[in-house]
Each structure stands twice: as structure tokens, then as C-alpha cells.
Amino acid sequence: MPEPSTNPASSPAPASNQAANAASAANQTTVADVVAALEAAYPPHLAESWDAVGLICGDPAEPADKVAFALDCTDGVVEAAIAQGAQMLVVHHPLLLRGVTAVPANSPKGRIVHKLIRNGIALFAAHTNADSARPGVNDRLAELLGVTPGAPLRPIPSGTDKWGFTVPVNDAPTVKSAIFSAGGGAQGDYEQACFEFSVTGQFLPTEGANPHLGAVGEVETVEEVRIEFVAPAAKREAIRAALIKAHPYEEPAYDCVETSLPTPADQQLGIGRVGELDTPMTLREFTARVAERLPATEWGVRAAGDPDAMIHTVAVASGAGDSFLGQVARMDVDCFVTSDLRHHPVDEHLRMGGCPVIDTAHWASEFPWCFQAEGVIKKATKAQTTVIDVRTDPWTVHKK
């Protein structure tokens, strides 16, 4: 009779060990858990069309019991994450924002990707989706400066739109396909939903027209189909662009009606925030507050406008925001706080009677978000968290 095996590998684990392992697994946070929490807070669909958000590298099934946060994924940040034993790194700026065909280890970004993978660190980015979310990057910036985070500078439409357009019968399938691809016709568990009926269209091309059908100066009647559908309001611009591009007419007729009640301003999603300053003060005083409350950089903080102008209402846009100068000039605000401002746009803004502006370092206006994102993971998981205190602002010397 053979002797019982004494090889531990062949012996079943004691019931107490099995229970302990199961409990450990139940308490373990995975990369997928962190991703789910972050995407709930900063929904990916809020990201701009050009953006690249989400999980950049890493296995969703791997553990993420130690999560680090930073604004950028630089070599210094990755080295700090490794030193801290992080299993996941969450950043604001995507490492691979532009398309790449290779990530060799002897390239700047490839070097970082290889270093992350070799050290078992997953990488996740929440960028313009975190800018537009509520609360998000802009809410954190506004609150830090003592500004009530009200309406966005560029709201994202919410609710449902009802669309309608006409198109020649033979062209209807092509246009419908383009609209459905852009997000139209989605309702509940159904896609490509619409209804249509036959109509007769009429038009008179005038001098300068290039009609798809008919001739300049002659009334034309066409057998058309009227197509109606609903779509999320957030898809409005994408659907409009798809419709115009796919429609055979030079100037297609369409209508789009918002069917939902307006969202209160302080609940609207979108980039930027506008709100009241907690204590009215001069531009000089408010500039000093901005410099005091944002992380210090060599870039510093500078302002343009009358130093003695009183500031009551403030617009903020984290990161590069000079594209909003034209809009801010038309608004009833006393100051605009953003980053990466350029000479000519600011000069023209002031010449046209625009409000004073405050220019901060890009990194400084967004880095405070890291603590907000850390709070999301603290609340949603049992992971240990840390914000990496590495200044990734590229400017290193400032002389006045």
C-alpha cells in the first residue's frame, strides 16, 4: 500500500485557508473596479470626439489595491508610482492622444509604456470627459478660487431631440445609414428607429445654385420621403454633420426640436463654469488669490485689464481656454480665469471691451482635480490611494 503523499502541492488547502483566500479576493480591488468607478464619475461619452480617454494599458482583471493620481504620465511620475508600489496610475492628460503605429522602448512614450507594463502598473486617463463632468475639473478649479460653479461655458445638450428631414426616395437609405451611424434613431433597447412617409418636394434653383436635381430658373418637383426620428441631444452636432454630408442636396432642409425641459444651469454638463465670487474684490486682489490658492509654478499667474476693476462674476476654464474669449466677451462676467493665453487674442479681447482675464499655468489649473479623482476611488473602492506630488509643468525658469 503506497504511503500517503507528503508533498504540500498535492494536499488540499485547509478549509480555513480557502476561506481566507476567498475573503481576500472579495476585498481586493481590481483595475476593472477602478475603471468602473472613474467612468461613472467621468462618463466617456462626455469626451470630445478627438480625445482618447479610458484604459490605456493594463489588464482589467489584475489587482489595483494601490492607485496613484497625477496630471501627466511623465517619466518622473512613473518612477514615483513604481517607488510607491502603485498598481494603477490615473492621469488627466492621455499619454497616447495622437495616433501611433508603434511604441518601441527607445521612444519617449514607448519607454513609458514598457516601464508601466514591466512593473505591473495599469494606466487610465480621464480628460475632456472629466472637464465636462459635474463635479469635474472645472468645478474643482472654481471652488478652489471661491467661485460658485454655475452654468458651463459650453453646455452639452441633454435630453432628447426630435428630427425630421426630406430626401429623394432613392437617396433615403444612404442618408438614414449615416444618421444611424452618428447616433440617431436610438430609443431604449432599439436602434435605427424612424418612421417615414411619401411627400412631394418643390424648389426653384436661383442664379448661383448647383442643384442635385433640376435646372437653374426652373421649378422642380421631386418625389421625396419625409423621415423622422429621435436622438440624444448630446449627439445633435454629430447628427447634423452626418445629415448634411450624406444628403445629396446642396442645402438640405431639416428640423430639430428639443423635447425635454431645460436642465437647471448648475446641473448642466460641459466645459467651463460661470459663477459668483464669494467676496467681491479688485482684479489685483483676485489675481493674488488665484496665485495663492493654485499650486506654485515658474510660470506664475498674470492678469490683463484694469487692476482696480471690481470682480463679482467669474468664468473659469481649466487648461487652454483662449477659444472661449469671444464667448466670454458677450457674457455678463467681470473676469475670465484660464491658461495658455496668447498675446494677440487677449489684446483683441480687451480692445473690444472684453472683461479682464487671468492667465495661469496649464498644469496649475488642472492639478487640483487629482484630489477630486482620488476621492472618487476612495469612496467607491477599498484601494489605497495617493496623489503623486511631481510638478509636471514644463516651465523651469522665470525671470521678471
Side-chain angles (χ1 to χ4, degrees), residues 16-30 33 63 65 382:
S16 59
N17 288 350
Q18 291 177 346
N21 291 337
S24 176
N27 290 327
Q28 189 175 70
T29 299
T30 65
D33 294 330
D65 291 315
K382 296 182 179 180

Side-chain angles (χ1 to χ4, degrees), residues 372-396:
Q372 182 195 85
E374 180 190 31
V376 169
I377 298 307
K378 279 185 175 180
K379 183 177 180 180
T381 75
K382 296 182 179 180
Q384 298 178 34
T385 62
T386 182
V387 173
I388 294 176
D389 190 18
V390 173
R391 190 177 71 179
T392 55
D393 183 70
W395 308 106
T396 57

Side-chain angles (χ1 to χ4, degrees), residues 10-94:
S10 64
S11 303
S16 59
N17 288 350
Q18 291 177 346
N21 291 337
S24 176
N27 290 327
Q28 189 175 70
T29 299
T30 65
V31 170
D33 294 330
V34 176
V35 169
L38 290 168
E39 291 191 339
Y42 313 117
H45 72 265
L46 298 181
E48 299 293 309
S49 60
W50 49 262
D51 207 355
V53 302
L55 190 63
I56 297 167
C57 68
D59 184 344
E62 289 293 316
D65 291 315
K66 293 184 178 181
V67 183
F69 298 81
L71 197 72
D72 303 284
C73 186
T74 63
D75 287 287
V77 166
V78 174
E79 290 297 339
I82 294 171
Q84 295 174 13
Q87 296 161 305
M88 187 166 183
L89 176 60
V90 177
V91 296
H92 182 51
H93 295 140

Side-chain angles (χ1 to χ4, degrees), residues 126-141:
H127 192 208
T128 52
N129 50 327
D131 289 330
S132 290
R134 189 182 287 274
V137 183
N138 286 282
D139 299 279
R140 178 61 181 152
L141 174 60

